[in-house]
Amino acid sequence: MSNLLSTGLVFLAEGTTPDLKDKIFALDWQLAFDAIIVACAVFFLFFLLSYLVFNPARELMKKRQELIEKSIDDAQKEKEEALAFKKEYDARLKNADEEVNAILSDTKKRAKHREAAIIEAANEESARILARTKTEIALEKSKAKDEIKQEIIAVAGEMAGRFISDKMDADKQASIVDDVIKEMGEATWQQE
């Protein structure tokens, strides 16, 4: 290989074109110059593409990564908020059950107070009716007694008139009293 390389350099120095049939690789100035220009062009294209394509692609990837991280963070926050909301909902539901029980208890108490008030009012009303009825009965009884007294006075007057008109003996008086009693009826005398 060193033989080949030294032959290629000798030919380059002489400026003559060697016969390339025997050689696998011939190095001349034109090839080296072309290789340097191609390397510079590739290097320049690499930096140009890096500036024009790779940097925007990197920035796009970076933005995309930040967006994904932000979405993950937002999802985590929403999950935490949902869990907090669920806890709050469960607490409110428990409080609602307690409020329902309190309302029912309060309603039962008010109903019992109302029932007691209604019963008390009914008892008072029945006591007034009973007192009024007793008063009316007493008045009727007093009236009946007055009427019986009036009848007794009338009967006594009639009996006295009969006794006076007839001079009677004891048997006749007893029979007249019995007759008067039968006329008036025994029920009249038993109403006292």
Side-chain angles (χ1 to χ4, degrees):
M1 174 100 168
S2 66
N3 189 9
L4 183 61
L5 190 56
S6 62
T7 309
L9 287 176
V10 170
F11 287 118
L12 282 176
E14 290 176 5
T16 61
T17 55
D19 189 15
L20 294 177
K21 290 181 187 177
D22 304 346
K23 300 182 181 170
I24 298 175
F25 181 67
L27 188 60
D28 62 350
W29 287 107
Q30 183 64 38
L31 180 65
F33 182 72
D34 288 343
I36 290 173
I37 290 201
V38 167
C40 286
V42 167
F43 187 70
F44 177 74
L45 283 175
F46 175 76
F47 281 113
L48 183 67
L49 286 176
S50 173
Y51 180 73
L52 294 177
V53 176
F54 296 147
N55 283 341
R58 281 188 202 118
E59 294 206 13
L60 181 68
M61 292 295 282
K62 186 177 179 181
K63 287 179 184 177
R64 177 79 176 168
Q65 185 177 6
E66 289 173 357
L67 180 67
I68 290 171
E69 287 174 0
K70 183 180 176 190
S71 297
I72 290 171
D73 290 341
D74 290 344
Q76 186 66 27
K77 287 178 185 176
E78 288 178 3
K79 182 180 178 183
E80 290 172 1
E81 289 174 0
L83 289 174
F85 181 74
K86 183 179 183 261
K87 286 180 183 177
E88 182 180 339
Y89 176 77
D90 289 340
R92 284 187 180 179
L93 188 61
K94 184 178 179 183
N95 288 341
D97 288 341
E98 291 173 0
E99 286 179 23
V100 166
N101 290 336
I103 290 170
L104 287 176
S105 174
D106 186 44
T107 304
K108 286 179 184 177
K109 286 178 185 176
R110 279 194 255 151
K112 285 186 180 182
H113 289 297
R114 179 93 170 125
E115 177 186 13
I118 290 170
I119 289 172
E120 185 178 334
N123 287 338
E124 289 174 2
E125 183 67 23
S126 67
R128 278 191 301 243
I129 291 171
L130 186 61
R132 189 174 62 224
T133 305
K134 284 182 180 180
T135 305
E136 288 176 5
I137 289 172
L139 288 174
E140 289 294 323
K141 201 175 191 183
S142 175
K143 223 190 254 183
K145 283 182 182 180
D146 287 341
E147 288 176 2
I148 290 173
K149 284 180 186 177
Q150 294 298 325
E151 282 187 37
I152 289 175
I153 290 172
V155 169
E158 190 179 321
M159 283 176 57
R162 283 188 189 175
F163 285 134
I164 293 175
S165 65
D166 285 336
K167 290 192 179 178
M168 297 191 232
D169 59 3
D171 290 332
K172 199 163 186 172
Q173 276 183 349
S175 83
I176 289 175
V177 170
D178 288 337
D179 288 341
V180 171
I181 290 175
K182 283 181 185 175
E183 284 178 17
M184 293 184 69
E186 293 181 19
T188 306
W189 300 103
Q190 293 175 356
Q191 286 182 354
E192 286 185 47

